Amino acid sequence: MYRRRRRAYFVMMGACLVLFVSAWAFVRLWSMPAAIAMCVVAMVIPPVAAMVANRKGPEDRWWDDPAPGSRTPPRSGKGGPAGPVGPTGPTGPTGDPESDAWWDELDGRKKRRQ
């Protein structure tokens, strides 16, 4: 998936460069409004390309990424100084059995229910 996102990013940025260069190299000789329109389109491409490249895919493990600035370890179930790491961090289970089962399944601690 990373390879596909990277390829999409480079294709979009390549299209952006082609639009800019062609707009001011030769399209402006025939039509100034067309060259300006091409530059406006090229101006929108880099932010979209960045969003495409940084999008998390369905197989990316986003649920155990620590929040920015937090010091809590990812949910490994190995425990630590504050006790076992559970669905809500070092404090333990949430009290909701369905939510706890869901987190355990994501963390790979329990088998999937059929």
Side-chain angles (χ1 to χ4, degrees), residues 16-32 34-36 38-39:
C16 178
L17 286 174
V18 166
L19 283 171
F20 268 125
V21 170
S22 64
W24 296 115
F26 57 87
V27 173
R28 70 176 171 89
L29 301 174
W30 289 290
S31 173
M32 186 60 81
I36 292 171
M38 288 172 69
C39 284

Side-chain angles (χ1 to χ4, degrees), residues 84-96 100:
V85 177
T88 59
T91 59
T94 62
D96 178 21
D100 293 339

Side-chain angles (χ1 to χ4, degrees), residues 56-70:
K56 292 190 179 202
E59 70 277 349
D60 291 338
R61 291 185 53 94
W62 53 267
W63 59 84
D64 60 355
D65 285 344
S70 73

Side-chain angles (χ1 to χ4, degrees), residues 61 63-66 71-78 85-86 107 109:
R61 291 185 53 94
W63 59 84
D64 60 355
D65 285 344
R71 294 179 182 248
T72 57
R75 295 174 202 31
S76 64
K78 293 186 168 98
V85 177
D107 290 339
R109 285 190 235 156

